[in-house]
Amino acid sequence: MSGRTHAVACPERTCVGCRKRAAGRDLLRVVAIGDACVPDPRRSLPGRGAHLHLDRTCLDLALRRRAFPRALRRPGPLDTEQLARYVGEQVGGDAVAAPERR
């Protein structure tokens, strides 16, 4: 069949928390609006995006490593309160406490 396959290609993305690769549709896209990290579940907001598993552990790792400013190429810390609240609502239970902005 001359090397052609009928499988649909799905872009892979890397989670900024655990650094594992997964299909883009399995990760939450996060964008920076102003000085805040905002979840983009519909993948329609403009700008550079970072990807994250919908998991408290991955969010905690990303926050401890300060991965969002680096992945989104923004100087200084970003407010992650709205993102932590969204992940907490999706996973259930309490959200991860977002670190204070400095």
Side-chain angles (χ1 to χ4, degrees):
M1 191 173 213
S2 72
R4 292 185 183 186
T5 63
H6 295 286
V8 177
C10 180
E12 284 193 344
R13 302 288 183 242
T14 302
C15 174
V16 294
C18 66
R19 305 292 298 156
K20 292 183 181 175
R21 295 183 63 80
R25 65 179 171 262
D26 296 336
L27 300 172
L28 172 67
R29 183 172 185 259
V30 178
V31 296
I33 296 181
D35 286 335
C37 285
V38 179
D40 184 16
R42 293 182 1 182
R43 303 173 186 282
S44 61
L45 293 176
R48 185 172 184 84
H51 294 82
L52 180 75
H53 283 112
L54 264 176
D55 183 22
R56 287 190 200 109
T57 306
C58 288
L59 177 60
D60 187 43
L61 284 169
L63 294 175
R64 282 192 290 144
R65 292 178 43 237
R66 297 183 189 109
F68 289 112
R70 188 171 41 252
L72 298 171
R73 297 184 182 169
R74 300 299 285 267
L78 295 172
D79 182 21
T80 56
E81 183 178 334
Q82 186 177 0
L83 177 61
R85 191 176 328 116
Y86 180 83
V87 171
E89 289 171 358
Q90 296 301 311
V91 174
D94 295 331
V96 175
E100 295 294 320
R101 291 184 65 193
R102 297 177 194 179

